[in-house]
């Protein structure tokens, strides 16, 4: 085979600081509220996707992390249909273009982080899928326009179309064409933002987020207050805190919104629990740390699972890690090239007795966790020459 | 000493099914919403209080469960002042009465359940205090009027002035004189109501409920919706479900209100957690049981701590205990005179494999609990001849 066209791209994970929870349209993934996220560094967390098309392919095929998966679910079909429509327009305008819109696709996708980490990888995956195909199809659409398509595949995926600080504007239109991601500020605006993910061991599978959010919309009597009153106000305040680089405000809103989201889950019927006792200990620890330093230096946030994501500024890393690294040093995932971790242990012994006493209460907190991911704010999707598809046969390398 | 007057009374524990959480007046214990509770049997849970007065006493004294305690805190003083004022009126009307209102009090109080159970005993304690003193003083006031005084000592104590099904009407007046308990229905209206308390082991002390509710009032952005919209509607519906003896409705509202209350705790800042992973497992178990029987046969509710109170009807005891007794049989607290517990184990082996598989997931749930209390709906305060005070010296027997 020679007539194989391939394009590759990477896309990042994003972690919401103002949570998306609730769909007003299930098919189009239209949310009940706008949300905000921080895009994380692709050095630590990214999906790499290669998309190939050829008149010789006999069906759409998908390989994820080395295994072939079905590629005919409604969400994928919807995404591919929209991308092919955009390609079709180009082909109609320029008949010299090859008829990619009529050919099948082969998609090969790999994450650079362990699936076992339990991190929602669908956002990065859908974003990389859309960007790699858009690149293959040479689509002229902006990333905000492409985010509308990624959103149909997985709601929060739309936010992975940008780096830095990202808003997903819920939009008003019935067709969802105004429900898209926009950049609040690029990574370079506030590059000091760091993230430490504490992967918490879970007994068993959580309620899937799609069915969970439907249950909340249908049964929580506090939910309407959240989406109608609480989140719209918080959206403005959080956007401003990012523009102002006001970490204390950003952190407070992030923590409050995580709690508010989990409160509406608990108010669902039957109630939904994503956080466990270890998650709660991490919350208490963060409040102890902020109280001890008499300054908000760390924020926690929890998605639809027990894992904690801590946000903090580079300038406060020593203050935070004096405590956090001491408590979690036994976990895997700390970066081998960060020889300076040891400094935090030296500092620890110099802390007040008052905080040492408090933190003794948390000395077994690491036992409820399986690993850490030490990362930071990062850029949006990247084009790459790395390729996962064999040019000769269109199959995974 | 001969001039010692003594009266004794018992009062029950009550467990709210529509929760009291939030004060609109801290001094008077005026709530932000009306609440509903079921009074539990005093065979299993009661406070017995003897109140004595004598011109020879030199100060107010209080003994709780065999230990002397200070008796000059603001709440106790407030309660005593109000009771003495009512006595004073009687003495003014009838100068032949001894001047109890000018004499000190000795109070001796004992619970018939282990303090270690972690059950809030303050409601029964304050109710027994008020009723025993009212009896000693021969006050003509109704129990609803006395509940206003008990409320000042401990908000939920007002509901322990009645048996059966009790409402605490929040009232509107600034002086709190209309914030009182009323009987929705006596025990005899719906005597089939049973309660099983699963005492859950707690790591450490919870946030005290007084400071916890203040934090929620001040910081939770969902709380206003709960007290302004959710609870008033639920109050009417739950009252009706009791009058109608509609267990399925009563149970659903009870479970939803427990979840709603804990949701506003989680939405507080910093968040408050009263339920732990064992509490959540009990919630899930109850939903599994109701789903399995395709009928709502059990309701859970959690106060400001991890203990579960399960409500169910006598007629469904076999259905419930086939599962519950099997899972919790190793715990202490099952009644020695209930030889029929064994029947439930025999039934268990006849259950569907489907439910056996589900329940295998809960086979270690008892490890997070320390005991059970197997009880039921009960009557209000009782006068008693049992006396804890020595008539000769006015001290504890």
């Amino acid at each position: 085979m020679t007539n194989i066209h391939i394009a590759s791209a990477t896309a990042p994970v994003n972690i919401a600081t103002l949570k998306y929870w609730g769909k007003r349209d299930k098919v189009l993934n239209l949310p009940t509220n706008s949300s905000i996220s921080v895009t994380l560094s692709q050095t630590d967390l990214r999906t790499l996707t290669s998309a190939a098309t050829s008149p010789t392919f006999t069906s759409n095929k998908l390989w994820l992390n080395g295994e072939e998966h079905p590629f005919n679910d409604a969400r994928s079909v919807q995404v591919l249909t929209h991308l092919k429509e955009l390609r079709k327009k180009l082909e109609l305008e320029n008949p010299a273009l090859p008829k990619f819109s009529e050919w099948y696709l082969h998609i090969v996708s790999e994450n650079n982080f362990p699936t076992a980490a339990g991190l929602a990888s669908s956002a990065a995956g859908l974003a990389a899928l859309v960007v790699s195909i858009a690149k293959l199809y040479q689509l002229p659409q902006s990333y905000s326009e492409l985010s509308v398509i990624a959103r149909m595949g997985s709601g929060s995926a739309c936010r992975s179309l940008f780096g830095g600080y990202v808003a997903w504007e819920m939009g008003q239109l019935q067709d969802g064409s105004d429900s898209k991601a926009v950049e609040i500020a690029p990574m370079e605006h506030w590059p000091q933002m760091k993230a430490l993910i504490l992967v918490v061991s879970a007994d068993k599978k959580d309620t899937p987020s799609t069915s969970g959010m439907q249950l909340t919309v249908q049964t929580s009597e506090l939910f309407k207050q959240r989406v109608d009153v609480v989140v719209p106000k918080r959206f403005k305040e959080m956007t401003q805190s990012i523009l102002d680089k006001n970490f204390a405000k950003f952190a407070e809103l992030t923590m409050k919104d995580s709690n508010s989201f989990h409160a509406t889950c608990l108010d669902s019927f039957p109630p939904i629990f994503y956080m466990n006792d270890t998650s709660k200990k991490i919350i208490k620890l963060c409040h102890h740390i902020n109280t001890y330093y008499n300054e908000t230096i760390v924020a926690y946030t929890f998605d639809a699972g027990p894992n904690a994501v801590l946000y903090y500024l580079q300038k406060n890393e020593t203050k935070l890690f004096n405590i956090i690294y001491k408590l979690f040093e036994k976990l895997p995932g700390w970066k081998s090239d960060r020889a300076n971790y040891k400094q935090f242990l030296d500092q620890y012994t110099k802390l007040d007795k008052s905080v040492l006493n408090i933190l003794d209460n948390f000395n077994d907190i690491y036992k409820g966790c399986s690993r850490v991911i030490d990362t930071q704010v990062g850029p949006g999707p990247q084009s790459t020459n790395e390729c996962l598809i064999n040019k000769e046969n269109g199959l995974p390398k």
Side-chain angles (χ1 to χ4, degrees), chain A residues 34 124 229:
Chain A
S34 297
V229 179

Side-chain angles (χ1 to χ4, degrees), chain A residues 204-221:
Chain A
K204 49 178 183 170
K205 196 111 183 74
D206 304 311
T207 307
S209 60
T210 297
S211 56
M213 59 177 84
Q214 285 312 114
L215 188 69
T216 302
V217 171
Q218 287 158 14
T219 63
S220 168
E221 302 193 40

Side-chain angles (χ1 to χ4, degrees), chain A residues 139-318:
Chain A
L139 301 181
Q141 275 73 22
S142 71
Y143 274 9
S144 228
E145 290 170 299
L146 292 177
S147 79
V148 172
I149 299 175
R151 188 208 72 223
M152 296 175 199
S154 169
S156 57
C158 70
R159 295 187 310 241
S160 280
L161 269 285
F162 290 95
Y165 305 86
V166 186
W168 173 9
E169 296 174 343
M170 65 180 287
Q172 306 296 336
L173 300 176
Q174 273 209 321
D175 70 355
S177 57
D178 61 344
S179 185
K180 62 184 192 300
V182 298
E183 185 185 83
I184 294 175
M187 174 181 81
E188 295 75 16
H189 166 72
W190 203 8
Q192 297 84 4
M193 186 70 73
K194 307 269 289 179
L196 183 70
I197 304 176
L198 301 170
V199 179
V200 172
S201 317
D203 277 3
K204 49 178 183 170
K205 196 111 183 74
D206 304 311
T207 307
S209 60
T210 297
S211 56
M213 59 177 84
Q214 285 312 114
L215 188 69
T216 302
V217 171
Q218 287 158 14
T219 63
S220 168
E221 302 193 40
L222 301 175
F223 179 71
K224 210 176 135 46
Q225 179 75 1
R226 168 170 165 78
V227 299
D228 288 352
V229 179
V230 178
V231 171
K233 180 165 174 276
R234 222 169 249 166
F235 182 84
K236 286 181 195 166
E237 292 176 345
M238 191 179 283
T239 300
Q240 195 59 46
S241 74
I242 291 167
L243 296 175
D244 294 345
K245 294 183 257 190
N246 180 344
F247 184 81
K249 189 72 185 168
F250 171 79
E252 183 186 321
L253 294 167
T254 294
M255 294 185 275
K256 284 184 171 175
D257 200 68
S258 176
N259 296 335
S260 166
F261 148 51
H262 290 280
T264 63
C265 289
L266 171 50
D267 189 52
S268 306
F269 194 76
I272 306 164
F273 300 101
Y274 289 119
M275 298 194 291
N276 64 20
D277 283 352
T278 298
S279 311
K280 291 187 234 168
K281 279 185 199 167
I282 293 169
I283 287 178
K284 287 183 183 180
L285 174 65
C286 289
H287 284 288
H288 277 305
I289 290 171
N290 289 335
T291 301
Y292 172 66
Y293 287 115
N294 197 25
E295 182 189 352
T296 304
I297 66 161
V298 62
Y300 53 78
T301 189
F302 295 80
D303 277 345
N307 297 338
V309 178
L310 309 188
Y311 286 114
Y312 63 97
L313 293 182
Q314 174 69 45
K315 68 173 181 179
N316 289 320
E317 186 169 72
T318 300

Side-chain angles (χ1 to χ4, degrees), chain A residues 5 10 44 62 71 148 199 216 244 249 310 372 385 389:
Chain A
H5 302 260
T10 66
D44 304 302
L62 172 69
F71 198 34
V148 172
V199 179
T216 302
D244 294 345
K249 189 72 185 168
L310 309 188
V372 302
N385 291 325
I389 293 179

